[in-house]
Amino acid sequence: MKTWIEKQKALIDFTLASLARRKIKNLGLLLVYTLIVFLLASVMLFTHALSKEAGKVLENSPEVIVQRLVAGRHDLIPPDYLERIGRIRGVQKIEGRLWGYYYDGVLKANYTFMVPQPDALMAVESGKIAIGATMARMRGLVPGNTISFRSYSGKLFSFEVSSVLPNKSELVSADLVLLSEADFRAFFDYPPDHYTDIVLSVANPLEVRNIATKLSTLLPDSRPILREEVLRTYESIFNWREGIVLVLLSGAILAFAIFAWEKASGLSAEEKREIGILKAIGWETGDVIKMKFWEGALVSLAAFLLGYIAAYLHVFRFSSLLFEPVLKGWAVLYPRFELTPEVDGFQVATLFLFTVFPYAVATIVPIWRAAITDPDAVMRG
Amino acid sequence: MGVRLSHRAIAFFAIVLALFCSTFVDAAYLRAARAAALAESGALAARLGLTDLSLFTEARYTRHPTQADLHSAFQDHPFAFEHFPSGSLMPPPRMLTKEYENLDRKTESPD
């Protein structure tokens, strides 16, 4: 065993010395390789953590939301709908929600105005609002300040900021403005007893789909949205974005693959001569292959480990700085949030297989071909 | 004689491997440290009945993707183009962009 270890160490010594002779080229390769792993791992870690976060945050979102559609557009819920839906057997709790969008010309941003449900214990007094931390930061507001909004009817409404929602919940509350029902109805000129949509909970969770079917039959203009659909939407959004980034990256990955294949499989004249000399001085084919295996393994393992560590730090310690502009889009209000690290071991293993394995194989195959030929022929090229 | 190259390589890989393993330890630490924030967001979402993350606030259908139907990105006016980066990576359905028969060939006199 000791001899075997010593032999491998000697091979590694030789491999590293050989790599050091073409220092710039090999360092360049390591750098590009590390960068590719870094990008792939960053996308993977970021999207996985974000979709997990969305799943956890939204796991207690309303069980069923009922919207009303008119000519394919979202419309207000008329007063009798609450009572009609309440009559469906299995519907446990039913409430009308009031929420809508307001465009603030000062910040050039959209806010989400919302009336908290009575049982949310977050009631806001008339004339006051509670706002999200991102909005408070962008508008420079603190509790006690007054802010005016011009409503869609042209009237000016002034509200006192009663509180700022916790910083820690920015991911869901960046643009939220909570206000009282009376203020909401006056501000948006809502007809009495009309609601934006309806939320309901179902006594038996297994019956949710049946209730949704009954809803569609009873009120054909309604569109029920189930919690599982909400969660699935987020899963598919992040899968889609991950896919898009990977497609964009695929050009770079392919370029790298060609570069690595060329570097690993096409032997330079110098390398061929080296193999010829090694064979001429008595190295066996197996030894030459082992030496090249070490070369592939050391380079690809170093690139994988360095790239993964850098990606981890980027996503979880530096708030995914590189992805922020992509995610932000045109959004003026962008929440500050720190992702909870959720690392999927299977994904890491897949990344390892897809980055390390092909390179290691690509280095061995041509060497094997060169190593089995006659040393004299190899040296002569 | 200096340190053997293989020993340097072993030391390098030991350090990098330790760092790699420490990312998992760090992940566990951060999960515990950030659990409160996650719980707070979850609690707020549950209390207010929130359905979406406020990540993409530029348009109603990007702010609340789960509440928007499939066509809301194209509802601003007939033949509206989707104009926000959040959605612009996704092409419109094929049926909306397919070409119609060219009618100009049927006119008897040129315009």
Side-chain angles (χ1 to χ4, degrees):
Chain A
M1 186 66 190
K2 208 168 171 224
T3 344
W4 185 85
I5 292 174
E6 271 310 312
K7 192 176 173 188
Q8 302 309 315
K9 274 161 73 176
L11 281 171
I12 294 173
D13 281 337
F14 189 87
T15 308
L16 289 173
S18 159
L19 284 174
R21 276 197 292 278
R22 294 174 290 274
K23 204 181 269 171
I24 302 285
K25 200 174 171 190
N26 286 317
L27 276 179
L29 172 80
L30 184 66
L31 189 75
V32 177
Y33 202 162
T34 307
L35 200 66
I36 292 282
V37 176
F38 164 76
L39 285 174
L40 287 175
S42 291
V43 172
M44 188 191 86
L45 289 173
F46 183 74
T47 47
H48 183 69
L50 199 53
S51 80
K52 282 269 171 198
E53 185 117 345
K56 279 190 185 155
V57 168
L58 301 173
E59 68 186 356
N60 290 319
S61 62
E63 211 159 10
V64 183
I65 296 165
V66 186
Q67 291 180 347
R68 180 170 170 245
L69 295 180
V70 171
R73 278 174 177 256
H74 189 189
D75 205 55
L76 297 186
I77 302 277
D80 62 322
Y81 272 45
L82 272 170
E83 190 252 333
R84 285 169 72 186
I85 294 174
R87 266 189 270 148
I88 296 177
R89 192 195 292 245
V91 172
Q92 201 171 33
K93 203 175 105 188
I94 175 164
E95 274 170 344
R97 287 202 306 177
L98 290 168
W99 65 277
Y101 301 107
Y102 175 77
Y103 177 73
D104 180 11
V106 178
L107 213 56
K108 294 190 171 59
N110 283 304
Y111 302 147
T112 303
F113 277 47
M114 189 174 207
V115 178
Q117 300 292 343
D119 56 358
L121 303 174
M122 293 184 75
V124 184
E125 286 173 46
S126 193
K128 295 190 174 177
I129 51 173
I131 57 174
T134 315
M135 178 192 164
R137 195 168 51 239
M138 298 293 283
R139 288 292 308 247
L141 293 170
V142 288
N145 287 166
T146 304
I147 184 169
S148 299
F149 298 118
R150 188 172 294 279
S151 76
Y152 291 119
S153 60
K155 276 185 268 175
L156 203 64
F157 285 79
S158 292
F159 297 102
E160 188 195 323
V161 177
S162 65
S163 62
V164 174
L165 297 170
N167 278 343
K168 287 177 181 167
S169 64
E170 262 185 72
L171 190 56
V172 288
S173 64
D175 63 340
L176 269 193
V177 175
L178 302 179
L179 70 174
S180 70
E181 182 173 342
D183 285 344
F184 183 91
R185 287 191 185 277
F187 188 76
F188 287 109
D189 229 350
Y190 252 46
D193 297 327
H194 281 64
Y195 290 94
T196 313
D197 54 21
I198 293 173
V199 289
L200 53 96
S201 58
V202 176
N204 179 1
L206 297 172
E207 286 290 309
V208 173
R209 290 212 152 263
N210 283 342
I211 300 282
T213 318
K214 282 185 197 166
L215 270 169
S216 311
T217 321
L218 178 73
L219 304 164
D221 61 350
S222 70
R223 175 182 175 236
I225 302 166
L226 311 182
R227 185 194 289 156
E228 59 178 277
E229 287 174 337
V230 168
L231 298 176
R232 218 171 38 227
T233 303
Y234 271 93
E235 206 169 302
S236 61
I237 284 178
F238 295 123
N239 283 349
W240 169 258
R241 276 171 187 256
E242 184 181 10
I244 282 293
V245 178
L246 289 183
V247 167
L248 294 177
L249 269 179
S250 62
I253 296 167
L254 276 177
F256 171 72
I258 294 167
F259 171 64
W261 182 262
E262 185 68 24
K263 161 77 188 63
S265 65
L267 291 177
S268 66
E270 195 189 341
E271 280 172 310
K272 275 187 188 160
R273 215 181 61 235
E274 192 180 312
I275 292 167
I277 293 169
L278 290 175
K279 289 207 66 176
I281 59 170
W283 279 46
E284 286 169 23
T285 307
D287 292 333
V288 178
I289 292 176
K290 269 183 217 151
M291 181 201 67
K292 273 291 167 180
F293 162 76
W294 277 115
E295 183 186 316
L298 291 174
V299 170
S300 53
L301 196 63
F304 172 78
L305 291 172
L306 292 173
Y308 180 83
I309 294 166
Y312 177 86
L313 293 175
H314 167 232
V315 173
F316 298 120
R317 286 286 179 184
F318 294 98
S319 306
S320 319
L321 272 176
L322 291 177
F323 296 147
E324 206 179 278
V326 182
L327 274 171
K328 243 181 178 169
W330 289 9
V332 178
L333 291 173
Y334 187 73
R336 274 188 203 153
F337 63 96
E338 286 174 321
L339 280 175
T340 310
E342 287 289 347
V343 183
D344 182 357
F346 181 70
Q347 275 193 330
V348 178
T350 313
L351 185 71
F352 178 80
L353 267 185
F354 276 91
T355 50
V356 174
F357 192 66
Y359 187 77
V361 172
T363 47
I364 291 176
V365 176
I367 291 298
W368 175 73
R369 257 189 284 143
I372 53 169
T373 45
D374 180 43
D376 183 46
V378 177
M379 271 191 284
R380 282 171 199 273
Chain B
M1 193 181 146
V3 185
R4 273 177 71 174
L5 282 175
S6 58
H7 289 174
R8 280 193 213 170
I10 290 168
F12 168 77
F13 276 101
I15 294 170
V16 178
L17 211 58
L19 283 174
F20 175 74
C21 294
S22 67
T23 62
F24 292 94
V25 178
D26 186 61
Y29 165 76
L30 284 182
R31 258 199 303 278
R34 292 174 186 172
L38 193 65
E40 188 143 359
S41 297
L44 190 74
R47 271 157 75 187
L48 292 174
L50 304 178
T51 51
D52 289 271
L53 304 184
S54 52
L55 269 180
F56 324 116
T57 52
E58 61 253 57
R60 63 203 155 94
Y61 48 87
T62 56
R63 170 65 178 91
H64 290 101
T66 65
Q67 305 300 295
D69 60 273
L70 287 173
H71 310 287
S72 43
F74 311 100
Q75 274 183 354
D76 292 340
H77 57 83
F79 259 93
F81 288 116
E82 216 291 283
H83 38 247
F84 290 104
S86 309
S88 60
L89 293 172
M90 182 163 57
R94 260 183 92 86
M95 52 168 283
L96 291 180
T97 54
K98 76 176 174 194
E99 280 184 32
Y100 290 91
E101 197 174 355
N102 214 347
L103 292 176
D104 62 348
R105 284 182 205 149
K106 290 183 180 167
T107 53
E108 285 176 2
S109 58
D111 295 327

Short mmCIF file of all heavy atoms in Angstrom, two decimals, chain A residues 147-176:
data_model
loop_
_atom_site.label_atom_id
_atom_site.label_comp_id
_atom_site.label_asym_id
_atom_site.label_seq_id
_atom_site.Cartn_x
_atom_site.Cartn_y
_atom_site.Cartn_z
N ILE A 147 -47.97 61.12 4.02
CA ILE A 147 -47.74 60.97 2.58
C ILE A 147 -49.07 61.14 1.84
O ILE A 147 -50.13 60.74 2.35
CB ILE A 147 -47.07 59.61 2.24
CG1 ILE A 147 -46.75 59.53 0.75
CG2 ILE A 147 -47.93 58.43 2.69
CD1 ILE A 147 -45.86 58.36 0.38
N SER A 148 -49.02 61.79 0.68
CA SER A 148 -50.26 62.01 -0.08
C SER A 148 -50.23 61.22 -1.38
O SER A 148 -49.18 61.13 -2.02
CB SER A 148 -50.41 63.49 -0.41
OG SER A 148 -50.46 64.22 0.77
N PHE A 149 -51.36 60.67 -1.73
CA PHE A 149 -51.51 59.99 -3.02
C PHE A 149 -52.69 60.60 -3.74
O PHE A 149 -53.73 60.86 -3.12
CB PHE A 149 -51.80 58.49 -2.81
CG PHE A 149 -50.72 57.73 -2.10
CD1 PHE A 149 -50.98 57.13 -0.87
CD2 PHE A 149 -49.46 57.61 -2.65
CE1 PHE A 149 -49.99 56.41 -0.21
CE2 PHE A 149 -48.47 56.89 -2.00
CZ PHE A 149 -48.73 56.30 -0.77
N ARG A 150 -52.53 60.82 -5.05
CA ARG A 150 -53.67 61.29 -5.82
C ARG A 150 -54.41 60.05 -6.34
O ARG A 150 -53.82 59.21 -7.02
CB ARG A 150 -53.20 62.16 -7.00
CG ARG A 150 -54.36 62.83 -7.74
CD ARG A 150 -53.84 63.83 -8.77
NE ARG A 150 -53.17 64.96 -8.12
CZ ARG A 150 -53.81 66.01 -7.60
NH1 ARG A 150 -55.12 66.06 -7.63
NH2 ARG A 150 -53.14 66.99 -7.06
N SER A 151 -55.68 59.94 -5.98
CA SER A 151 -56.42 58.73 -6.34
C SER A 151 -56.76 58.76 -7.82
O SER A 151 -56.60 59.79 -8.49
CB SER A 151 -57.70 58.62 -5.51
OG SER A 151 -58.65 59.53 -6.01
N TYR A 152 -57.30 57.65 -8.32
CA TYR A 152 -57.64 57.58 -9.74
C TYR A 152 -58.80 58.52 -10.10
O TYR A 152 -59.02 58.81 -11.26
CB TYR A 152 -57.96 56.13 -10.13
CG TYR A 152 -56.74 55.23 -10.09
CD1 TYR A 152 -56.67 54.12 -9.24
CD2 TYR A 152 -55.63 55.51 -10.89
CE1 TYR A 152 -55.55 53.32 -9.19
CE2 TYR A 152 -54.49 54.71 -10.84
CZ TYR A 152 -54.45 53.62 -10.00
OH TYR A 152 -53.34 52.84 -9.96
N SER A 153 -59.54 58.98 -9.05
CA SER A 153 -60.62 59.92 -9.34
C SER A 153 -60.11 61.35 -9.34
O SER A 153 -60.86 62.28 -9.61
CB SER A 153 -61.75 59.75 -8.32
OG SER A 153 -61.23 59.99 -7.03
N GLY A 154 -58.82 61.54 -9.00
CA GLY A 154 -58.23 62.87 -9.05
C GLY A 154 -58.13 63.54 -7.69
O GLY A 154 -57.48 64.57 -7.55
N LYS A 155 -58.80 62.96 -6.67
CA LYS A 155 -58.76 63.58 -5.34
C LYS A 155 -57.45 63.24 -4.64
O LYS A 155 -56.87 62.18 -4.85
CB LYS A 155 -59.93 63.06 -4.50
CG LYS A 155 -61.22 63.82 -4.75
CD LYS A 155 -62.31 63.36 -3.81
CE LYS A 155 -63.14 62.24 -4.43
NZ LYS A 155 -64.12 61.64 -3.59
N LEU A 156 -57.00 64.17 -3.78
CA LEU A 156 -55.75 63.94 -3.05
C LEU A 156 -56.07 63.36 -1.67
O LEU A 156 -56.90 63.89 -0.95
CB LEU A 156 -55.01 65.27 -2.93
CG LEU A 156 -53.50 65.17 -2.73
CD1 LEU A 156 -52.83 64.53 -3.93
CD2 LEU A 156 -52.93 66.56 -2.49
N PHE A 157 -55.45 62.28 -1.33
CA PHE A 157 -55.65 61.66 -0.01
C PHE A 157 -54.35 61.70 0.76
O PHE A 157 -53.29 61.37 0.22
CB PHE A 157 -56.08 60.20 -0.18
CG PHE A 157 -57.50 60.01 -0.63
CD1 PHE A 157 -57.84 60.18 -1.97
CD2 PHE A 157 -58.49 59.67 0.28
CE1 PHE A 157 -59.14 60.00 -2.39
CE2 PHE A 157 -59.80 59.48 -0.15
CZ PHE A 157 -60.13 59.65 -1.48
N SER A 158 -54.41 62.12 2.02
CA SER A 158 -53.21 62.12 2.86
C SER A 158 -53.32 61.05 3.93
O SER A 158 -54.38 60.88 4.54
CB SER A 158 -53.03 63.48 3.54
OG SER A 158 -52.74 64.44 2.57
N PHE A 159 -52.23 60.33 4.11
CA PHE A 159 -52.22 59.28 5.13
C PHE A 159 -51.01 59.46 6.04
O PHE A 159 -49.94 59.89 5.59
CB PHE A 159 -52.09 57.89 4.47
CG PHE A 159 -53.24 57.53 3.58
CD1 PHE A 159 -53.12 57.63 2.19
CD2 PHE A 159 -54.44 57.10 4.12
CE1 PHE A 159 -54.18 57.29 1.36
CE2 PHE A 159 -55.51 56.76 3.28
CZ PHE A 159 -55.37 56.86 1.91
N GLU A 160 -51.21 59.10 7.29
CA GLU A 160 -50.08 59.12 8.22
C GLU A 160 -49.51 57.71 8.30
O GLU A 160 -50.28 56.74 8.41
CB GLU A 160 -50.55 59.57 9.61
CG GLU A 160 -49.39 59.79 10.56
CD GLU A 160 -49.84 59.88 12.01
OE1 GLU A 160 -50.93 60.45 12.26
OE2 GLU A 160 -49.13 59.37 12.87
N VAL A 161 -48.19 57.60 8.22
CA VAL A 161 -47.56 56.27 8.30
C VAL A 161 -47.59 55.85 9.77
O VAL A 161 -46.96 56.48 10.62
CB VAL A 161 -46.11 56.31 7.79
CG1 VAL A 161 -45.45 54.94 7.95
CG2 VAL A 161 -46.06 56.76 6.35
N SER A 162 -48.39 54.82 10.07
CA SER A 162 -48.48 54.39 11.48
C SER A 162 -47.36 53.41 11.82
O SER A 162 -46.87 53.39 12.93
CB SER A 162 -49.84 53.77 11.76
OG SER A 162 -49.97 52.58 11.02
N SER A 163 -46.98 52.59 10.86
CA SER A 163 -45.88 51.65 11.15
C SER A 163 -45.24 51.19 9.84
O SER A 163 -45.84 51.32 8.77
CB SER A 163 -46.40 50.44 11.92
OG SER A 163 -47.33 49.75 11.14
N VAL A 164 -44.02 50.68 9.96
CA VAL A 164 -43.33 50.09 8.81
C VAL A 164 -43.26 48.59 9.07
O VAL A 164 -42.90 48.16 10.17
CB VAL A 164 -41.91 50.69 8.65
CG1 VAL A 164 -41.14 49.98 7.55
CG2 VAL A 164 -41.99 52.18 8.37
N LEU A 165 -43.64 47.81 8.07
CA LEU A 165 -43.64 46.35 8.24
C LEU A 165 -42.20 45.85 8.45
O LEU A 165 -41.25 46.48 7.96
CB LEU A 165 -44.27 45.68 7.02
CG LEU A 165 -45.74 46.04 6.79
CD1 LEU A 165 -46.22 45.54 5.43
CD2 LEU A 165 -46.61 45.46 7.89
N PRO A 166 -42.03 44.74 9.16
CA PRO A 166 -40.68 44.32 9.54
C PRO A 166 -39.75 44.12 8.32
O PRO A 166 -40.17 43.59 7.30
CB PRO A 166 -40.90 42.98 10.24
CG PRO A 166 -42.35 42.88 10.50
CD PRO A 166 -43.06 43.84 9.64
N ASN A 167 -38.51 44.56 8.50
CA ASN A 167 -37.48 44.39 7.46
C ASN A 167 -37.36 42.95 7.01
O ASN A 167 -37.13 42.67 5.84
CB ASN A 167 -36.10 44.74 8.04
CG ASN A 167 -35.87 46.22 8.03
OD1 ASN A 167 -36.57 46.93 7.32
ND2 ASN A 167 -34.91 46.68 8.79
N LYS A 168 -37.48 42.05 7.98
CA LYS A 168 -37.24 40.64 7.68
C LYS A 168 -38.25 40.06 6.71
O LYS A 168 -38.01 39.01 6.13
CB LYS A 168 -37.25 39.83 8.99
CG LYS A 168 -36.02 40.07 9.83
CD LYS A 168 -36.14 39.31 11.12
CE LYS A 168 -34.92 39.57 12.00
NZ LYS A 168 -35.14 39.11 13.37
N SER A 169 -39.40 40.72 6.58
CA SER A 169 -40.42 40.16 5.70
C SER A 169 -40.46 40.87 4.35
O SER A 169 -41.44 40.78 3.62
CB SER A 169 -41.78 40.24 6.37
OG SER A 169 -42.14 41.59 6.55
N GLU A 170 -39.37 41.58 4.01
CA GLU A 170 -39.37 42.36 2.77
C GLU A 170 -39.69 41.55 1.52
O GLU A 170 -40.26 42.06 0.56
CB GLU A 170 -38.01 43.04 2.57
CG GLU A 170 -37.99 44.48 3.03
CD GLU A 170 -36.70 45.17 2.72
OE1 GLU A 170 -36.44 45.46 1.55
OE2 GLU A 170 -35.93 45.43 3.67
N LEU A 171 -39.29 40.30 1.54
CA LEU A 171 -39.49 39.46 0.35
C LEU A 171 -40.97 39.37 -0.05
O LEU A 171 -41.29 39.17 -1.21
CB LEU A 171 -38.92 38.07 0.60
CG LEU A 171 -38.82 37.14 -0.59
CD1 LEU A 171 -38.02 37.75 -1.72
CD2 LEU A 171 -38.21 35.81 -0.20
N VAL A 172 -41.87 39.50 0.92
CA VAL A 172 -43.30 39.47 0.56
C VAL A 172 -43.99 40.82 0.73
O VAL A 172 -45.14 40.98 0.34
CB VAL A 172 -44.08 38.41 1.40
CG1 VAL A 172 -43.74 37.02 0.96
CG2 VAL A 172 -43.86 38.60 2.88
N SER A 173 -43.28 41.81 1.33
CA SER A 173 -44.02 43.03 1.67
C SER A 173 -43.35 44.30 1.15
O SER A 173 -43.66 45.39 1.62
CB SER A 173 -44.19 43.12 3.18
OG SER A 173 -42.91 43.25 3.78
N ALA A 174 -42.43 44.17 0.19
CA ALA A 174 -41.65 45.33 -0.26
C ALA A 174 -42.53 46.54 -0.62
O ALA A 174 -42.27 47.66 -0.22
CB ALA A 174 -40.81 44.95 -1.47
N ASP A 175 -43.61 46.28 -1.37
CA ASP A 175 -44.42 47.38 -1.92
C ASP A 175 -45.79 47.47 -1.29
O ASP A 175 -46.69 48.09 -1.84
CB ASP A 175 -44.56 47.17 -3.43
CG ASP A 175 -45.32 45.89 -3.75
OD1 ASP A 175 -45.38 45.02 -2.87
OD2 ASP A 175 -45.86 45.77 -4.85
N LEU A 176 -45.96 46.82 -0.14
CA LEU A 176 -47.30 46.77 0.45
C LEU A 176 -47.68 48.08 1.14
O LEU A 176 -46.84 48.71 1.78
CB LEU A 176 -47.36 45.66 1.51
CG LEU A 176 -47.78 44.27 1.11
CD1 LEU A 176 -48.06 43.45 2.37
CD2 LEU A 176 -49.02 44.29 0.24
#
